[in-house]
Amino acid sequence: MLDRTAHEALVAAVGPENVISDPVQLRSYECDGLTGFRQVPSLVVLPHTTEDVAQAVRACHRHGVPFVARGAGTGLSGGAMPVADGVVISLQRMREIVDIDPVDRRAVLQPGVTNLDITKAAAAHGLYYAPDPSSQQVCTIGGNVAENSGGAHCLKYGFTTNHVLSMTVVLPDGEIVTLGGDTGEQLGPDLRGVVIGSEGTLGIACDITVRLLRTPETVRTLLADFPSVTAAGDVVSDLIAAGIVPAAVEMMDNLAIQAAEKAVGAGYTLTTPAALVVELDGPESECETQFDEVRAICDRHGCTRLHIAETAAERARIWKGRKAAFAAVGRISPDYIVQDGVVPRTQLAEVLSRIEGMGRNAGLRVANVFHAGDGNLHPLVLFDEDAGELERAEELSTDIAELCVELGGSLSGEHGIGTDKACSMPRMFGEADLSTMDRVRAAFDPRHLCNPGKLLPTPRLCGEQPGRYRPHPLEEAGVIERL
Amino acid sequence: MTATILTPTDLRSACEAFTESRGTIRIQGAGTAATWAGTAGTADVVVDTTGLAGIRSYNPADMTVSVGAGTPLAQLQDEVSRNGQRVAFDAARVRRGATVAGLIATADSGPLALGYGSMRDLVIGATVVLADGTPARTGGHVIKNVAGYDLAKLMHGSYGAYGLMTEVVLRLHPAPEVQRTVALDCTLSEASGHTRSLLAEAHEPVSVEWADGTLLIRIEGTADGTAARTRALAELTGGRALSDDEAAESWQRHVRLVDDATVRIGCRPSRLPGVLGRFHTQAVAGLATGVATLSVPAAQVGDVHEVVTEAGGTSVTRGATEGQVPAWGQQPSALRVLQAVKHELDPAFRLDSGRFGTWLEPAAVASAGTGTRDTSTGAAPSVAASRAEPRERGTSGGEKVRGAAEPNGPTLGTASRTRKPTSPGGTGSAGTEQEDS
Ligand SMILES: Cc1cc2nc3c(=O)[nH]c(=O)nc-3n(C[C@H](O)[C@H](O)[C@H](O)COP(=O)(O)OP(=O)(O)OC[C@H]3O[C@@H](n4cnc5c(N)ncnc54)[C@H](O)[C@@H]3O)c2cc1C
Ligand SMILES: Cc1cc2nc3c(=O)[nH]c(=O)nc-3n(C[C@H](O)[C@H](O)[C@H](O)COP(=O)(O)OP(=O)(O)OC[C@H]3O[C@@H](n4cnc5c(N)ncnc54)[C@H](O)[C@@H]3O)c2cc1C
């Protein structure tokens, strides 16, 4: 519980009509998209302006109350999970598109604007906002900034960090600063780039200025079936080797296809072991030449069916199947865990066959649907809790994430560390790496009030003993050195 | 007093350069930016990065490369070009031998920034040695990675004030089959008008630069595709498609103009003509990026700072300026955070970049209260006091339960799961005892 003076200060900061303290209503804020971690907050405040946010944060700072920013709550790593005796600062009422500037091609947004609404507003000018997480209909630009979100088209266009020019940030003591500027030029070190992807631990992003791109002239999309996951993986390698940078390359294995077909009937082949969605975009003349190359590469690897979207509606249908895959897995399994890891692109075949073996050993099915072009896997571990499979599933899922690190990759490509993977961080980073990150955090938030307990391992979450240092696999391979 | 020059060749000797030396330290690359943003003062120790050179790991099929931080970028380009790849970055001083880390530390960029961004957009990992000799890694070897803070960003534009980069991992791109340039002699405001109309079309230029009287538009792609687009662009602007030799010459002139400049500015592209129009001088302007360089006499640098600041932009000197001309036009809004980071990473102020005027000087950092100022009261508790505060707030008390409730708001299906902590972990206290200096 908040003490009375803290409570009053927060109510005064945003106004009583923008505060939720009813226990029943508070419960709807107890978790994000990763519903296994829950904590009911003491209070939720819903500011309307940057100044409101600053007032609320100042009140928290003055009274030593921890706070957690929250966008749409679609995060998948427990990043927006509240903190015990803490406050949630929900940005859902800050949904104004402040400005769309078609000349300098940028948009200024309040943090609660949804990702897709940016593109909707820019479309009238022939512009769009490139990063496109699958959750784009609901997730907020503030949440995207915090997670450095990506999406299917980030292979060619980059992630959130490559598209944010500047933002006002309410620092953990309530001061409002601007990070970044009107161009890529910087006044000293790039703090904007540090805050993007910091999972809400360094401050609250408010007015966010993003770059808008011109809508590409042509988009070409194909759906190709392959006799094996390995063959599909080889296509990805060959595309890259051929110097083609597709807008997107997505892979689905048979389980994922079955699930997606059951859910949305997007015209995928139910029996195929693997399918790729390849999309090219750009000037028409470039696109056509490269599209022919893509088809040739698909054929070379035994493509069994090649479906080219001839209309926008057909393209949308292919994407619907892909984007529905996560949720659709619920149709073929009572429970499932979404994992998120990255491997170097040349390790795709290796990681997939190892995952298959690990699944077999654990007696669990793993569906794979992922951003193949940048090696970002989303293995879905299927299990039945009623059959007592939860623990095995969790173990398998964790092992898969750590396998990615072992193969020279990363614990997370887009969902973040949050609460979920904080304790796995020592697998990827050594003590000195983590303590350096902690120093940076202390520079922003010396009192540990801003989304505490997330991202970096803490003794409370992970046990008192700091993780014994294990050499990074790349270190063992002599690729990187420590000392 | 002459400085001791240390030339580490690997991570161990880089750490030792800090732990086994005393006094202030200046990090020096190839020296191609020696007079940018002010001139570095004297230091007791100079760490020369050029021994940290060469490719550490390169698997062309992954399109990533890890290199010693002191590797000249031009040399790296040569190596990766053998595999039809490139670092999509072309700042003017690359040709003069600038090092990978020097380019990052100065937040430099070239015309390709329109298409590919700057080094910050290409760096996917780094190893940094802090002033106390702590080696820290950030990022990794994969192009997509959100694990942990992205400390490579912190090094971008740090001018050697936060730490020594020893190794950098870069994302590579396929080298384009063909590059073509359309050129048109015109005034800056005409060029600005052309830029607007060509950006409204879908020709996807990778560079749009006005080089003191000539608009240069560069596109890249396949032989056929670029031929069609070149024609369209020439028609649209009334410009001319250059031959390869002509194009090379025009871009070399661009490089020379940038190298000669004394001030670098950035402001909204639409404001560039107005800003540059105030100074009748040699200039180069990225009309789609908003980044420009101009050559003004030292006496006029102050005016440039003023005009650019008024236009909401940034400006910094890029050449030796005599007298008391400030290096930077405006002060960063989050200066206090920059100071707090300096205090955390280099509390003894050993790394002396001399590049940020007084921003990061000990007195400034101390009086800023390093992130602990209570803005509501103006009270500024000391750093020591704030660091001594108990840290147990830094834990979340999330109880683990499992249930069917959906998160608030989203209508998308989400996974329901629980998770047990896997491996034990934890970080030590951030404060590190600092060798005196
Ligand atoms: C079905 C589904 C598909 C998804 N697909 C993708 C995908 O393709 N790519 C991808 O990258 N992610 C994906 N995600 C994950 C998630 O949607 C993204 O991480 C998204 O950016 C979270 O936005 P949000 O508004 O829901 O943030 P929340 O979940 O509310 O918060 C996420 C984190 O951001 C912080 N935060 C929120 N707003 C702010 C702010 N204004 N300032 C500072 N911190 C803030 C929170 O404290 C929290 O730590 C998916 C999720 C789901 C459920
Ligand atoms: C050939 C040569 C001639 C010189 N002549 C003169 C002279 O006439 N007069 C004079 O006063 N001085 C001279 N110097 C010294 C010169 O002033 C210093 O080299 C200069 O201060 C440093 O250049 P630089 O590091 O800025 O250039 P760059 O190497 O381009 O570095 C730019 C910035 O990046 C930072 N940086 C570079 N590498 C790293 C890294 N790995 N990690 C973190 N930060 C990094 C640097 O600290 C610097 O702030 C000369 C040096 C050289 C090499």
Side-chain angles (χ1 to χ4, degrees):
Chain A
M1 280 304 294
L2 285 188
D3 74 47
R4 199 182 172 76
T5 53
H7 184 109
E8 280 165 6
L10 279 154
V11 172
V14 295
E17 68 283 13
N18 299 311
V19 171
I20 294 175
S21 55
D22 170 59
V24 177
Q25 285 182 40
L26 285 176
R27 286 211 54 172
S28 52
Y29 291 86
E30 68 183 350
C31 62
D32 63 5
L34 187 63
T35 54
F37 288 104
R38 288 160 195 269
Q39 170 65 53
V40 179
S42 294
L43 198 71
V44 175
V45 296
L46 295 133
H48 286 261
T49 65
T50 304
E51 187 51 39
D52 286 352
V53 174
Q55 290 293 353
V57 171
R58 277 171 215 160
C60 289
H61 186 252
R62 204 159 43 234
H63 295 279
V65 176
F67 57 92
V68 179
R70 183 183 178 95
T74 68
L76 289 174
S77 55
M81 183 188 77
V83 173
D85 299 325
V87 172
V88 165
I89 300 180
S90 165
L91 301 151
Q92 284 289 10
R93 291 187 182 167
M94 293 177 68
R95 311 187 76 125
E96 192 192 337
I97 294 178
V98 180
D99 185 36
I100 300 270
D101 178 346
V103 174
D104 286 328
R105 290 168 300 136
R106 58 196 63 198
V108 184
L109 314 152
Q110 281 197 316
V113 172
T114 65
N115 175 295
L116 193 60
D117 278 348
I118 308 171
T119 288
K120 282 188 183 159
H125 307 284
L127 300 170
Y128 77 111
Y129 176 64
D132 60 339
S134 304
S135 51
Q136 69 183 148
Q137 296 194 8
V138 283
C139 69
T140 66
I141 184 67
N144 291 176
V145 163
E147 300 288 352
N148 188 19
S149 296
H153 292 81
C154 288
L155 172 58
K156 178 169 176 185
Y157 293 102
F159 314 98
T160 302
T161 191
N162 309 111
H163 295 271
V164 172
L165 280 165
S166 67
M167 51 199 190
T168 54
V169 172
V170 175
L171 295 175
D173 66 0
E175 185 182 350
I176 302 170
V177 296
T178 303
L179 304 183
D182 282 350
T183 70
E185 287 292 288
Q186 294 170 195
L187 296 166
D190 181 20
L191 292 179
R192 159 195 52 148
V194 176
V195 169
I196 296 171
S198 66
E199 305 189 12
T201 62
L202 303 180
I204 301 185
C206 287
D207 294 288
I208 299 162
T209 304
V210 300
R211 294 195 298 136
L212 299 173
L213 300 186
R214 191 198 182 280
T215 316
E217 185 175 39
T218 317
V219 183
R220 300 287 271 146
T221 309
L222 64 76
L223 172 63
D225 294 349
F226 292 92
S228 68
V229 165
T230 315
D234 290 342
V235 169
V236 177
S237 305
D238 279 12
L239 287 175
I240 291 162
I244 299 171
V245 183
V249 185
E250 303 283 307
M251 198 195 292
M252 289 166 76
D253 69 3
N254 182 263
L255 265 181
I257 290 168
Q258 285 188 32
E261 275 303 302
K262 259 191 198 149
V264 297
Y268 286 57
T269 313
L270 272 172
T271 50
T272 187
L276 281 181
V277 176
V278 182
E279 187 160 287
L280 297 180
D281 69 13
E284 193 169 344
S285 49
E286 300 287 338
C287 247
E288 291 309 324
T289 318
Q290 294 206 332
F291 203 61
D292 291 344
E293 270 184 80
V294 173
R295 291 168 62 170
I297 291 170
C298 287
D299 285 341
R300 209 156 64 222
H301 291 281
C303 172
T304 51
R305 172 187 171 232
L306 192 99
H307 169 60
I308 295 169
E310 297 296 349
T311 62
E314 276 183 46
R315 180 171 3 109
R317 198 152 160 248
I318 292 177
W319 277 112
K320 192 171 178 193
R322 162 61 186 85
K323 294 200 175 181
F326 271 21
V329 166
R331 300 198 176 227
I332 59 166
S333 174
D335 303 287
Y336 63 97
I337 297 172
V338 181
Q339 187 46 278
D340 166 46
V342 190
V343 293
R345 291 173 279 194
T346 45
Q347 301 285 352
L348 273 180
E350 168 80 10
V351 76
L352 291 173
S353 82
R354 299 235 331 235
I355 289 174
E356 202 194 333
M358 286 157 67
R360 215 177 314 113
N361 288 344
L364 294 170
R365 295 179 302 166
V366 181
N368 280 293
V369 40
F370 57 94
H371 310 300
D374 38 33
N376 185 192
L377 312 174
H378 289 310
L380 299 149
V381 177
L382 315 187
F383 68 99
D384 182 355
E385 196 184 5
D386 294 341
E389 294 175 343
L390 170 65
E391 205 165 313
R392 242 184 310 148
E394 286 183 333
E395 223 163 83
L396 174 60
S397 176
T398 301
D399 288 349
I400 290 174
E402 296 183 355
L403 170 68
C404 290
V405 177
E406 190 187 313
L407 292 174
S410 169
L411 281 174
S412 175
E414 43 183 37
H415 297 166
I417 300 302
T419 311
D420 186 33
K421 290 181 177 168
C423 300
S424 288
M425 284 288 272
R427 294 283 178 144
M428 183 161 166
F429 294 105
E431 232 178 282
D433 310 336
L434 294 172
S435 77
T436 302
M437 291 180 198
D438 200 32
R439 290 194 202 183
V440 171
R441 186 178 195 152
F444 279 84
D445 182 22
R447 297 177 61 186
H448 308 284
L449 295 176
C450 192
N451 211 4
K454 314 290 174 66
L455 196 139
L456 294 173
T458 59
R460 170 125 177 230
L461 196 64
C462 312
E464 284 304 327
Q465 291 301 315
R468 192 169 58 83
Y469 171 65
R470 301 154 45 105
H472 188 277
L474 287 177
E475 240 179 305
E476 282 173 340
V479 174
I480 57 169
E481 50 180 351
R482 176 161 309 273
L483 263 189
Chain B
M1 183 192 68
T2 43
T4 310
I5 298 180
L6 300 173
T7 309
T9 52
D10 57 10
L11 184 58
R12 180 186 296 276
S13 51
C15 293
E16 284 167 1
F18 292 93
T19 53
E20 293 181 12
S21 68
R22 293 190 165 260
T24 54
I25 298 171
R26 179 157 51 74
I27 299 166
Q28 173 183 305
T32 54
T35 54
W36 289 17
T39 311
T42 53
D44 301 318
V45 177
V46 169
V47 174
D48 175 347
T49 68
T50 55
L52 295 161
I55 288 178
R56 300 288 165 82
S57 70
Y58 175 33
N59 181 353
D62 282 326
M63 298 201 80
T64 60
V65 65
S66 161
V67 289
T71 310
L73 181 61
Q75 195 179 314
L76 176 61
Q77 295 282 29
D78 278 350
E79 298 273 347
V80 301
S81 70
R82 290 186 201 139
N83 294 295
Q85 300 179 352
R86 66 167 171 179
V87 180
F89 181 88
D90 61 351
R93 77 186 220 270
V94 172
R95 300 187 193 205
R96 291 189 279 124
T99 63
V100 169
L103 291 160
I104 296 169
T106 51
D108 205 357
S109 66
L112 269 184
L114 174 59
Y116 296 91
S118 61
M119 276 298 204
R120 88 181 270 289
D121 302 292
L122 301 172
V123 176
I124 55 174
T127 305
V128 176
V129 177
L130 304 183
D132 61 7
T134 303
R137 272 187 312 116
T138 173
H141 290 246
V142 284
I143 57 173
K144 193 171 190 183
N145 179 5
V146 296
Y149 296 139
D150 188 352
L151 301 182
K153 300 286 190 291
L154 201 54
M155 302 310 289
H156 193 256
S158 65
Y159 279 96
Y162 282 167
L164 168 74
M165 283 172 267
T166 58
E167 185 177 335
V168 173
V169 191
L170 297 171
R171 171 181 193 167
L172 300 171
H173 284 86
E177 192 180 314
V178 175
Q179 295 185 318
R180 292 183 201 269
T181 300
V182 171
L184 169 71
D185 289 340
C186 62
T187 65
L188 177 60
S189 60
E190 285 163 356
S192 177
H194 287 308
T195 302
R196 233 175 255 194
S197 42
L198 76 90
L199 289 178
E201 305 283 321
H203 303 303
E204 302 193 2
V206 291
S207 309
V208 178
E209 296 275 317
W210 182 77
D212 208 43
T214 308
L215 176 63
L216 298 172
I217 307 154
R218 179 159 62 197
I219 54 169
E220 297 180 340
T222 59
D224 292 351
T226 52
R229 282 189 285 154
T230 308
R231 275 194 304 276
L233 278 167
E235 208 165 289
L236 180 72
T237 57
R240 189 168 71 80
L242 301 184
S243 70
D244 286 353
D245 285 350
E246 288 172 326
E249 203 172 297
S250 297
W251 287 108
Q252 262 158 32
R253 176 169 168 269
H254 182 282
V255 163
R256 281 196 304 275
L257 290 167
V258 171
D259 270 345
D260 287 349
T262 52
V263 188
R264 170 101 154 176
I265 70 169
C267 69
R268 277 172 169 257
S270 60
R271 291 180 189 161
L272 269 184
V275 167
L276 292 178
R278 300 276 293 272
F279 306 93
H280 301 280
T281 179
Q282 191 172 293
V284 170
L287 289 169
T289 57
V291 177
T293 50
L294 60 170
S295 309
V296 294
Q300 244 185 7
V301 170
D303 295 342
V304 175
H305 283 331
E306 199 173 304
V307 169
V308 175
T309 302
E310 241 167 61
T314 57
S315 54
V316 60
T317 56
R318 269 208 166 177
T321 49
E322 306 102 58
Q324 293 301 305
V325 182
W328 301 85
Q330 58 167 303
Q331 178 169 299
S333 150
L335 179 57
R336 195 167 58 81
V337 181
L338 291 178
Q339 292 168 339
V341 172
K342 175 72 176 170
H343 192 273
E344 287 289 337
L345 300 187
D346 181 18
F349 293 90
R350 293 194 68 197
L351 282 167
D352 184 7
S353 79
R355 293 330 227 296
F356 294 118
T358 57
W359 296 352
L360 297 185
E361 274 177 6
V365 172
S367 70
T370 57
T372 62
R373 185 161 54 100
D374 186 329
T375 46
S376 54
T377 62
S382 77
V383 178
S386 76
R387 292 304 306 277
E389 268 179 50
R391 288 192 142 197
E392 70 265 295
R393 281 257 180 232
T395 56
S396 69
E399 99 193 73
K400 285 205 311 147
V401 290
R402 186 178 153 78
E406 285 300 316
N408 181 50
T411 50
L412 292 177
T414 55
S416 172
R417 60 173 296 197
T418 60
R419 180 63 114 76
K420 266 203 239 48
T422 47
S423 57
T427 60
S429 148
T432 309
E433 280 305 304
Q434 181 61 46
E435 193 188 336
D436 69 42
S437 53

